[in-house]
């Protein structure tokens, strides 16, 4: 029997005589999470001895022997090609930071049910009690035979970059760090539509990104890949440029392909005359800096729960405003991307997820908006049933075009 989570308030606070009241009784989030949010369910019946002999021994031995002789049959006769491992070490969980593997499990369970709900993809939460790059890589490599893909989640930067790179080098299945690439895909989709709404091309825009962690770096890379006019990143110490001597290896790489204008100074300095602000930092941007942006600018302030620029302020100056919150229009939500991206990759048994597949996902996501495009509708809702099929089809087609599909 699971241990009871209790209300840490005193009996007088709860109004109860005796023991403390379970948290379930006054908080619906705890009530929903009691016992977890997911379970394993059989896809075949086991009603009698004949069913049992097929689902397990002796029938299963025939399938095992066939796979041993022809390893590729594992994709046809097990769940491998339809299941993803959702892997974390609990070091960068939502806005909570390094809270450890056990405390990360509610988020990983949530991610798994989103995979199923929005992409029809089965997923298994795996919280690892280790944080070393090589430890994580070796552990996931040993788990990989059971899965068709690996979704890295809530692993702190800069380790997340190296972990993803090393895993993709070692494995022949897709490895995708959603905090990086899912955010980048949805951001690009929203930006494409914002540009279309204003009658401009992405190549005409100068963007500034607040935050040079996993999401900020990935967004910058994707915007450059998509042909952005220019993009500059800013971290706590200011604009990332090649003349800074305090850069990490990742930031030094980023400096090499961003900030063509050679900007220096603070985030606020970079925003003067900029067309786009993208916030993935959790900081606060002064209203005066937003006011200094170009006419018809776009503000994507995606920190949760407190956007870098509050929408009420952003709307004074920007033509399009997006956030990471569900209670404002234009939510930049990763759930618009990762279920369809993995569904498409698994559908064709892709060996990896390429930049072309990510760009295709962004274009497909943007296209769902269609003729309904408006300032408060540059990105569809996660509950739009057209999203996952559109992204899935685009990613599968791109995988075939790029030569990473195996069926």
């Amino acid at each position: 029997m699971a241990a009871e989570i209790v209300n840490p308030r005193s009996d007088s606070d709860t109004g109860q005589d005796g023991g403390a009241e379970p948290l379930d009784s006054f908080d619906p989030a705890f009530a929903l999470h009691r016992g977890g949010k997911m379970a394993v369910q059989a896809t075949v019946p086991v009603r009698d001895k004949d069913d049992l002999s097929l689902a397990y021994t002796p029938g299963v031995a025939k399938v095992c022997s066939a796979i041993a002789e022809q390893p590729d049959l594992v994709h046809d006769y097990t769940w491998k090609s339809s299941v993803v491992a959702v892997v974390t070490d609990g070091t960068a969980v939502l806005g909570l930071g390094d809270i450890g593997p056990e405390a990360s499990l509610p988020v990983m369970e949530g991610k798994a049910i989103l995979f199923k709900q929005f992409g029809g993809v089965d997923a298994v939460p795996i919280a690892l009690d280790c944080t070393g790059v090589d430890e994580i890589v070796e552990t996931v490599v040993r788990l990989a035979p059971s899965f068709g893909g690996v979704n890295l989640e809530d692993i702190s930067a800069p380790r997340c970059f190296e972990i993803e790179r090393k895993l993709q080098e070692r494995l022949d299945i897709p490895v995708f760090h959603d905090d990086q690439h899912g955010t980048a895909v949805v951001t690009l989709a929203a930006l494409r539509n914002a540009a279309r709404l204003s009658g401009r091309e992405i190549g005409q825009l100068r963007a500034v990104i607040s935050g040079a962690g996993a999401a900020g770096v990935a967004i910058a890379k994707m915007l450059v890949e998509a042909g952005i006019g220019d993009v500059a990143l800013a971290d706590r110490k200011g604009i990332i440029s090649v003349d800074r001597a305090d850069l990490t290896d990742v930031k030094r790489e980023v400096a090499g392909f961003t900030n063509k204008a050679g900007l220096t100074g603070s985030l606020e300095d970079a925003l003067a005359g900029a067309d786009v602000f993208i916030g993935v930092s959790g900081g606060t941007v002064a209203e005066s800096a937003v006011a200094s942006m170009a006419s018809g600018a776009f503000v994507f302030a995606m920190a949760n729960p407190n956007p870098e620029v509050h929408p009420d302020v952003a709307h004074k100056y920007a033509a399009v405003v997006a956030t990471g919150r569900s209670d404002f229009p234009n939510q930049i939500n990763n759930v618009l991307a990762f279920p369809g991206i993995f569904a498409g990759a698994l559908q064709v048994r892709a060996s990896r997820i390429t930049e072309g597949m990510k760009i295709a996902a962004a274009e497909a996501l943007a296209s769902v908006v269609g003729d309904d495009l408006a300032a408060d509708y540059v990105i569809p809702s996660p509950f739009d049933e057209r999203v996952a099929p559109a992204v899935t089809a685009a990613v599968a087609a791109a995988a075939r075009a790029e030569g990473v599909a195996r069926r």
Side-chain angles (χ1 to χ4, degrees):
M1 180 176 178
E4 185 178 68
I5 301 175
V6 297
N7 182 355
R9 298 182 299 173
S10 68
D11 291 346
S12 60
D13 289 334
T14 63
Q16 298 292 313
D17 294 323
E21 185 179 4
L23 288 171
D24 303 32
S25 63
F26 66 91
D27 191 320
F30 282 93
L32 182 143
H33 281 79
R34 181 171 285 278
K37 298 192 292 286
M38 58 185 293
V40 174
Q41 180 177 339
T43 60
V44 297
V46 184
R47 300 162 299 197
D48 52 36
K49 66 181 182 63
D50 293 331
D51 288 345
L52 181 60
S53 68
L54 289 173
Y56 199 53
T57 185
V60 72
K62 297 179 182 179
V63 182
C64 293
S65 297
I67 294 171
E69 293 177 5
Q70 300 180 59
D72 282 350
L73 291 178
V74 69
H75 298 284
D76 298 312
Y77 295 106
T78 72
W79 75 342
K80 181 179 174 72
S81 280
S82 61
V83 67
V84 170
V86 180
V87 178
T88 189
D89 64 356
T91 55
V93 182
L94 299 178
L96 304 174
D98 185 354
I99 60 174
E102 288 87 354
S104 76
L105 269 176
V107 178
M108 300 310 113
E109 287 184 2
K111 198 78 172 190
I113 65 175
L114 295 180
F115 264 109
K116 189 66 173 178
Q117 177 71 28
F118 293 102
V121 174
D122 289 307
V124 177
I126 298 176
L128 301 179
D129 189 16
C130 57
T131 58
V133 168
D134 290 335
E135 287 180 293
I136 292 173
V137 170
E138 292 299 330
T139 302
V140 175
V141 166
R142 283 161 173 73
L143 291 169
S146 295
F147 300 99
V150 175
N151 185 89
L152 300 174
E153 189 76 17
D154 292 350
I155 298 173
S156 64
R159 295 174 310 116
C160 58
F161 302 110
E162 188 176 4
I163 289 168
E164 183 187 36
R165 177 181 59 79
K166 287 187 171 184
L167 282 174
Q168 194 60 85
E169 289 173 353
R170 299 268 306 266
L171 300 176
D172 65 347
I173 58 176
V175 178
F176 186 83
H177 185 208
D178 184 53
D179 300 323
Q180 293 184 59
H181 311 301
T183 306
V185 166
V186 183
T187 301
L188 175 59
L191 186 57
R192 281 195 182 281
N193 276 338
R196 180 164 69 94
L197 181 67
S198 67
R200 289 177 285 178
E201 301 291 334
I202 282 187
Q204 298 174 272
L205 304 176
R206 179 170 73 83
V208 177
I209 300 173
S210 174
V217 169
I219 291 169
K221 287 182 177 179
M222 183 159 286
L223 292 185
V224 170
E225 186 76 19
I228 191 81
D230 196 9
V231 57
L233 282 81
D235 60 13
R236 292 182 180 88
K237 297 182 179 179
I239 301 167
I240 292 176
S241 58
V242 292
D243 60 345
R244 275 182 49 181
D246 60 344
L247 300 179
T248 64
D249 290 343
V250 171
K251 291 179 182 179
R252 191 173 299 109
E253 177 191 357
V254 170
F257 62 81
T258 62
N259 194 14
K260 292 185 291 186
L263 300 174
T264 58
S266 67
L267 169 70
E268 288 74 15
D269 293 331
L271 281 176
D275 302 293
V276 185
F277 168 74
I278 297 171
V280 285
S281 65
T284 300
V285 177
E287 181 173 345
S288 59
V290 181
S292 74
M293 295 178 69
S295 176
F298 313 139
V299 171
F300 293 1
M302 300 188 290
N304 262 319
N306 299 311
E308 293 88 350
V309 183
H310 193 279
D312 291 344
V313 173
H315 278 298
K316 294 181 184 179
Y317 311 101
V320 176
V321 177
T323 72
R325 287 173 45 159
S326 60
D327 54 345
F328 292 109
N330 296 327
Q331 184 189 18
I332 307 294
N333 191 329
N334 290 11
V335 77
L336 288 162
F338 68 82
I341 289 173
F342 267 102
L346 293 174
Q347 185 180 95
V348 298
R349 294 181 191 165
S351 58
R352 59 192 177 95
I353 295 172
T354 66
E355 291 302 313
M357 292 161 72
K358 297 171 201 171
I359 295 289
E363 292 174 346
L365 181 55
S367 71
V368 171
V369 170
D371 294 336
D372 296 324
L373 180 64
D376 62 354
Y377 185 55
V378 297
I379 200 75
S381 162
F383 296 98
D384 189 324
E385 294 181 354
R386 299 171 297 171
V387 168
V391 174
T392 298
V395 168
R400 292 190 177 101
E402 300 212 340
V404 297
R406 289 177 288 195
R407 74 169 179 184

